[in-house]
Amino acid sequence: MKTILIIDDEAEIRELLTIYLTNHGYTVLEAGNGKEALSVWQEEQVDLVIADIMMPEMDGFELLKQLRQESQIPFLFISAKSDDMDKIAGLQLGADDYVGKPFNPLEVVSRVQALFRRIDAFARQEREDQDVLEIGDVKLDLSSCLLYKSGVAKELTSYEFKILALLMGHAGRVFTKAHIYERVWGEDYIGDDNLIMVYISKLREKLEDNPRKPAYLITIRGLGYRFEKG
């Protein structure tokens, strides 16, 4: 359940928004000005801020400046100030959206839902990016341990996967056979070059269009292997 902090010196505005946001499943906290809001912020877990601009003690602009020093929390301004320069100023300070007063409370709810959808989508994409290594038409799914070549899934053995994850995760870097062995097998290298060569050959069969002329898994003579950056 997401928690929203509403900051406005008009109690009626806070009450109205609280009713609508609560009815849509949100937990709501309230503050009457920016200074009071900072106290709430320090004590509570807040997922989104809705704030007026013109408030006593500390206005919305100053509140946003202080919050942005330590957080990128979603921030929505609601304000009776209709000057476009005020809207621009708020957005340039780091606000994510702006709604003018008087407003339809359902519009505010919709804006809040849209902000959360964008944040959730971005977070999902970041997680997916962390779970996938992709170079050219070669994609390695780190969660399923599957290799995809031009969209076609190819099974990998555990050691094939570990070697490919190492090389793709450090694309452009040359790894000696000793480095690969010690990182993948977790043991001191005993000079068995054939073992690494066999696995490299198997990987090339799965990811190269022409294994005899590899475009991705490159041999650096006298040194080791490198996965091309693409």
Side-chain angles (χ1 to χ4, degrees), residues 146-217:
L146 283 175
L147 166 67
Y148 292 86
K149 168 64 176 179
S150 300
V152 179
K154 298 177 181 289
E155 297 282 349
L156 296 173
T157 67
S158 61
Y159 287 122
E160 287 172 353
F161 169 75
K162 290 177 181 178
I163 292 171
L164 190 54
L166 174 66
L167 296 177
M168 286 188 69
H170 300 82
R173 174 179 169 184
V174 177
F175 283 85
T176 66
K177 295 182 179 71
H179 285 154
I180 294 172
Y181 187 88
E182 291 169 359
R183 294 283 290 273
V184 171
W185 276 265
E187 301 173 358
D188 290 338
Y189 183 59
I190 55 177
D192 188 355
D193 289 353
N194 288 333
L195 178 65
I196 303 298
M197 290 172 63
V198 168
Y199 277 104
I200 293 295
S201 178
K202 290 181 177 179
L203 283 170
R204 282 176 174 157
E205 291 291 336
K206 296 179 179 181
L207 65 86
E208 299 286 0
D209 292 329
N210 184 351
R212 294 182 178 277
K213 295 182 179 180
Y216 290 108
L217 198 44

